[in-house]
Amino acid sequence: MAAMQLTVIGCSGSFPGPDSPASCYLLEAEGFRLVIDLGNGALGALQRHAELFGIDAICVSHLHADHCVDLGAYWVARQYTSEGPRPPIPVHGPRGTAARVADFGGESLARVQARFTFCDLDPGERRIGPFRVTADHMNHPVETFGFRVEYAGWRVAYSADTGESDALVRLAEGADLLLCEASFLADQVNQANLHLSAKQAAEHAARAGVGQLVLTHLVPWNDRERTLAEATGAYRGPLSLATPGLVLGPASVVPSSTR
Ligand SMILES: [Zn+2]
Protein backbone atom coordinates (compact mmCIF):
# COMPACT_ATOMS: atom_id res chain seq x y z
CA MET A 1 0.00 0.00 0.00
CA ALA A 2 1.67 3.21 -1.14
CA ALA A 3 -0.54 5.60 0.78
CA MET A 4 -1.88 5.72 4.29
CA GLN A 5 -5.45 4.60 4.69
CA LEU A 6 -7.69 5.38 7.65
CA THR A 7 -10.77 3.29 8.41
CA VAL A 8 -13.36 4.41 10.93
CA ILE A 9 -14.10 1.33 13.06
CA GLY A 10 -16.20 3.08 15.70
CA CYS A 11 -17.32 6.69 16.01
CA SER A 12 -20.02 6.58 18.70
CA GLY A 13 -19.40 9.09 21.46
CA SER A 14 -19.27 8.24 25.18
CA PHE A 15 -20.88 4.79 24.71
CA PRO A 16 -21.63 2.48 21.79
CA GLY A 17 -24.75 3.13 19.74
CA PRO A 18 -27.02 0.85 17.71
CA ASP A 19 -25.01 1.47 14.55
CA SER A 20 -21.46 1.97 15.81
CA PRO A 21 -18.97 0.86 18.44
CA ALA A 22 -17.31 3.53 20.54
CA SER A 23 -14.10 5.22 19.37
CA CYS A 24 -11.68 3.24 17.20
CA TYR A 25 -9.71 4.05 14.05
CA LEU A 26 -7.44 1.83 11.95
CA LEU A 27 -4.47 3.37 10.14
CA GLU A 28 -2.58 1.34 7.58
CA ALA A 29 0.55 1.92 5.51
CA GLU A 30 3.21 -0.44 4.16
CA GLY A 31 1.25 -3.35 5.65
CA PHE A 32 1.60 -1.87 9.17
CA ARG A 33 -1.64 -1.55 11.14
CA LEU A 34 -1.94 1.03 13.89
CA VAL A 35 -5.15 1.17 15.93
CA ILE A 36 -6.03 4.43 17.65
CA ASP A 37 -8.37 3.90 20.60
CA LEU A 38 -10.27 0.68 21.26
CA GLY A 39 -13.61 1.61 22.80
CA ASN A 40 -16.65 -0.51 23.67
CA GLY A 41 -17.48 -2.99 20.92
CA ALA A 42 -14.62 -1.93 18.67
CA LEU A 43 -12.71 -5.21 18.78
CA GLY A 44 -15.61 -6.99 17.07
CA ALA A 45 -16.00 -4.48 14.25
CA LEU A 46 -12.22 -4.22 13.85
CA GLN A 47 -12.14 -7.86 12.74
CA ARG A 48 -14.13 -6.93 9.63
CA HIS A 49 -11.16 -4.84 8.51
CA ALA A 50 -8.09 -6.56 9.96
CA GLU A 51 -7.11 -10.05 11.04
CA LEU A 52 -7.50 -10.40 14.82
CA PHE A 53 -3.75 -10.71 15.37
CA GLY A 54 -2.78 -8.50 12.45
CA ILE A 55 -2.51 -5.37 14.60
CA ASP A 56 1.04 -4.05 14.97
CA ALA A 57 0.58 -1.23 17.50
CA ILE A 58 -2.12 0.61 19.45
CA CYS A 59 -2.40 4.21 20.62
CA VAL A 60 -4.80 5.05 23.43
CA SER A 61 -5.82 8.68 23.77
CA HIS A 62 -7.06 8.39 27.36
CA LEU A 63 -8.40 5.95 29.88
CA HIS A 64 -12.14 6.62 29.70
CA ALA A 65 -13.83 3.30 28.95
CA ASP A 66 -15.28 4.37 25.60
CA HIS A 67 -11.73 4.79 24.30
CA CYS A 68 -9.92 1.81 25.81
CA VAL A 69 -12.16 -0.84 27.41
CA ASP A 70 -11.78 -3.31 24.53
CA LEU A 71 -8.06 -3.49 25.29
CA GLY A 72 -9.27 -5.83 28.04
CA ALA A 73 -11.06 -7.97 25.46
CA TYR A 74 -8.03 -7.88 23.17
CA TRP A 75 -5.81 -9.03 26.03
CA VAL A 76 -8.11 -12.05 26.47
CA ALA A 77 -7.85 -12.84 22.75
CA ARG A 78 -4.06 -12.53 22.71
CA GLN A 79 -3.70 -14.53 25.94
CA TYR A 80 -6.01 -17.46 25.23
CA THR A 81 -5.79 -18.10 21.48
CA SER A 82 -5.66 -21.84 20.79
CA GLU A 83 -2.26 -21.40 19.15
CA GLY A 84 -0.74 -20.14 22.39
CA PRO A 85 -0.28 -16.66 23.81
CA ARG A 86 0.70 -14.03 21.29
CA PRO A 87 3.89 -11.97 21.62
CA PRO A 88 3.42 -8.47 23.02
CA ILE A 89 2.66 -5.53 20.76
CA PRO A 90 3.26 -1.88 21.73
CA VAL A 91 0.44 0.06 23.39
CA HIS A 92 1.18 3.79 23.58
CA GLY A 93 -1.02 5.41 26.19
CA PRO A 94 -1.13 7.72 29.21
CA ARG A 95 0.64 6.64 32.37
CA GLY A 96 -1.59 4.10 34.11
CA THR A 97 -2.73 2.33 30.95
CA ALA A 98 -1.29 -1.03 32.04
CA ALA A 99 -3.03 -0.86 35.41
CA ARG A 100 -6.29 0.12 33.73
CA VAL A 101 -6.15 -2.88 31.38
CA ALA A 102 -5.29 -5.17 34.29
CA ASP A 103 -8.33 -3.86 36.18
CA PHE A 104 -10.68 -4.70 33.31
CA GLY A 105 -10.10 -8.41 33.84
CA GLY A 106 -8.95 -8.50 37.45
CA GLU A 107 -5.56 -9.57 36.10
CA SER A 108 -2.08 -8.98 37.43
CA LEU A 109 0.08 -6.32 35.85
CA ALA A 110 2.64 -8.98 34.92
CA ARG A 111 0.14 -11.02 32.90
CA VAL A 112 -1.10 -7.94 31.07
CA GLN A 113 2.46 -6.79 30.40
CA ALA A 114 3.24 -10.17 28.87
CA ARG A 115 0.81 -9.49 26.02
CA PHE A 116 1.28 -5.73 25.60
CA THR A 117 4.40 -3.56 25.81
CA PHE A 118 3.17 -0.34 27.39
CA CYS A 119 4.86 2.88 26.27
CA ASP A 120 4.06 6.05 28.21
CA LEU A 121 2.90 8.95 26.05
CA ASP A 122 4.35 12.42 26.45
CA PRO A 123 3.76 15.47 24.28
CA GLY A 124 6.03 15.31 21.25
CA GLU A 125 6.91 13.20 18.26
CA ARG A 126 7.55 9.48 18.00
CA ARG A 127 7.92 6.94 15.24
CA ILE A 128 5.37 4.09 15.22
CA GLY A 129 6.05 1.72 12.34
CA PRO A 130 6.06 3.86 9.18
CA PHE A 131 4.11 6.68 10.83
CA ARG A 132 5.32 9.89 12.40
CA VAL A 133 3.00 10.42 15.37
CA THR A 134 2.83 13.68 17.31
CA ALA A 135 0.92 13.70 20.59
CA ASP A 136 -0.23 16.61 22.70
CA HIS A 137 -2.41 17.15 25.73
CA MET A 138 -6.06 17.90 25.11
CA ASN A 139 -8.51 19.64 27.42
CA HIS A 140 -10.42 16.83 29.19
CA PRO A 141 -10.88 15.84 32.87
CA VAL A 142 -8.34 13.00 32.69
CA GLU A 143 -4.95 13.08 30.93
CA THR A 144 -5.83 12.91 27.25
CA PHE A 145 -3.71 12.99 24.12
CA GLY A 146 -4.72 14.13 20.66
CA PHE A 147 -2.64 12.81 17.78
CA ARG A 148 -1.26 13.95 14.47
CA VAL A 149 -0.23 11.09 12.20
CA GLU A 150 1.83 11.68 9.07
CA TYR A 151 2.88 9.36 6.31
CA ALA A 152 4.12 10.14 2.79
CA GLY A 153 2.87 13.70 2.95
CA TRP A 154 -0.66 12.90 4.21
CA ARG A 155 -1.42 14.45 7.58
CA VAL A 156 -4.28 13.39 9.83
CA ALA A 157 -5.15 14.96 13.17
CA TYR A 158 -7.42 13.38 15.78
CA SER A 159 -8.88 15.38 18.65
CA ALA A 160 -9.69 12.47 20.95
CA ASP A 161 -11.93 14.00 23.65
CA THR A 162 -11.45 17.67 24.38
CA GLY A 163 -13.02 20.94 25.31
CA GLU A 164 -11.81 24.05 23.52
CA SER A 165 -8.08 23.69 22.97
CA ASP A 166 -5.34 25.79 21.39
CA ALA A 167 -3.20 22.63 21.45
CA LEU A 168 -5.71 20.94 19.15
CA VAL A 169 -5.45 23.83 16.69
CA ARG A 170 -1.64 23.52 16.75
CA LEU A 171 -1.80 19.75 16.32
CA ALA A 172 -4.16 20.07 13.36
CA GLU A 173 -2.39 23.04 11.71
CA GLY A 174 -2.52 22.54 7.95
CA ALA A 175 -3.56 18.88 8.23
CA ASP A 176 -5.26 17.25 5.28
CA LEU A 177 -7.90 15.72 7.55
CA LEU A 178 -9.12 16.51 11.04
CA LEU A 179 -11.15 13.86 12.83
CA CYS A 180 -12.74 16.02 15.49
CA GLU A 181 -15.08 15.15 18.27
CA ALA A 182 -18.50 16.81 18.21
CA SER A 183 -20.29 15.58 21.30
CA PHE A 184 -22.75 18.38 21.85
CA LEU A 185 -25.46 20.30 20.04
CA ALA A 186 -25.91 24.01 20.57
CA ASP A 187 -28.86 23.74 22.96
CA GLN A 188 -27.24 21.19 25.27
CA VAL A 189 -25.37 22.19 28.39
CA ASN A 190 -21.70 21.74 27.56
CA GLN A 191 -19.60 21.67 30.69
CA ALA A 192 -16.35 23.55 30.14
CA ASN A 193 -13.15 21.58 29.52
CA LEU A 194 -14.97 18.38 28.62
CA HIS A 195 -16.17 18.13 25.01
CA LEU A 196 -16.74 20.22 21.89
CA SER A 197 -20.00 21.11 20.23
CA ALA A 198 -20.28 20.60 16.47
CA LYS A 199 -19.86 24.33 15.95
CA GLN A 200 -16.78 24.47 18.18
CA ALA A 201 -15.28 21.54 16.27
CA ALA A 202 -15.81 23.43 13.02
CA GLU A 203 -14.24 26.56 14.52
CA HIS A 204 -11.15 24.58 15.51
CA ALA A 205 -10.93 23.15 11.96
CA ALA A 206 -11.20 26.63 10.47
CA ARG A 207 -8.51 28.04 12.80
CA ALA A 208 -6.18 25.15 11.92
CA GLY A 209 -6.84 25.54 8.18
CA VAL A 210 -7.41 21.82 7.64
CA GLY A 211 -8.26 20.39 4.22
CA GLN A 212 -11.19 18.31 5.37
CA LEU A 213 -13.21 17.90 8.56
CA VAL A 214 -14.88 14.68 9.64
CA LEU A 215 -16.93 14.97 12.83
CA THR A 216 -16.77 11.99 15.14
CA HIS A 217 -17.49 10.89 18.74
CA LEU A 218 -21.14 11.30 17.80
CA VAL A 219 -23.35 10.64 20.81
CA PRO A 220 -26.24 8.28 19.92
CA TRP A 221 -28.98 10.57 21.24
CA ASN A 222 -27.88 13.50 19.07
CA ASP A 223 -29.53 14.08 15.68
CA ARG A 224 -26.86 13.58 12.98
CA GLU A 225 -28.36 16.09 10.58
CA ARG A 226 -28.41 18.74 13.29
CA THR A 227 -24.79 17.99 14.17
CA LEU A 228 -23.81 18.54 10.54
CA ALA A 229 -26.00 21.63 10.17
CA GLU A 230 -24.55 23.29 13.29
CA ALA A 231 -20.99 22.79 12.00
CA THR A 232 -21.78 24.16 8.57
CA GLY A 233 -20.90 27.81 8.32
CA ALA A 234 -18.12 27.77 10.89
CA TYR A 235 -15.90 25.73 8.55
CA ARG A 236 -16.04 26.19 4.79
CA GLY A 237 -14.08 23.13 3.61
CA PRO A 238 -15.38 19.61 2.98
CA LEU A 239 -17.36 18.54 6.03
CA SER A 240 -18.95 15.21 6.85
CA LEU A 241 -19.88 12.87 9.69
CA ALA A 242 -17.93 9.72 10.52
CA THR A 243 -19.64 6.40 9.90
CA PRO A 244 -18.35 2.91 10.72
CA GLY A 245 -16.47 1.46 7.75
CA LEU A 246 -15.70 4.87 6.24
CA VAL A 247 -12.31 4.68 4.52
CA LEU A 248 -10.25 7.85 4.11
CA GLY A 249 -6.98 8.39 2.29
CA PRO A 250 -5.06 11.06 0.41
CA ALA A 251 -7.39 10.80 -2.58
CA SER A 252 -10.65 10.71 -0.67
CA VAL A 253 -12.43 13.87 0.19
CA VAL A 254 -15.74 12.65 1.52
CA PRO A 255 -18.63 13.97 -0.53
CA SER A 256 -21.09 15.98 1.51
CA SER A 257 -23.73 13.30 0.91
CA THR A 258 -21.90 10.93 3.29
CA ARG A 259 -24.03 11.69 6.30
ZN1 LIG B 1 -13.29 10.96 27.51
Side-chain angles (χ1 to χ4, degrees), residues 88-128:
I89 58 169
V91 174
H92 303 261
R95 282 166 182 77
T97 300
R100 187 87 161 111
V101 177
D103 280 351
F104 290 145
E107 293 293 342
S108 68
L109 263 183
R111 273 166 59 83
V112 166
Q113 286 166 335
R115 302 282 75 82
F116 297 125
T117 302
F118 292 92
C119 313
D120 291 339
L121 280 172
D122 285 303
E125 271 184 35
R126 64 184 59 202
R127 201 89 203 168
I128 303 178

Side-chain angles (χ1 to χ4, degrees), residues 65-103:
D66 62 313
H67 291 255
C68 69
V69 74
D70 269 20
L71 268 175
Y74 197 35
W75 179 86
V76 169
R78 295 190 74 88
Q79 176 70 23
Y80 293 109
T81 170
S82 58
E83 291 157 27
R86 293 286 166 148
I89 58 169
V91 174
H92 303 261
R95 282 166 182 77
T97 300
R100 187 87 161 111
V101 177
D103 280 351

Side-chain angles (χ1 to χ4, degrees), residues 62 64 66-67 140 161 195:
H62 66 300
H64 281 158
D66 62 313
H67 291 255
H140 200 54
D161 285 5
H195 287 298

Side-chain angles (χ1 to χ4, degrees), residues 37-71:
D37 283 341
L38 204 53
N40 325 51
L43 184 64
L46 180 63
Q47 292 169 69
R48 294 190 202 125
H49 302 275
E51 197 272 322
L52 182 58
F53 301 117
I55 304 305
D56 297 292
I58 298 171
C59 282
V60 177
S61 64
H62 66 300
L63 299 183
H64 281 158
D66 62 313
H67 291 255
C68 69
V69 74
D70 269 20
L71 268 175

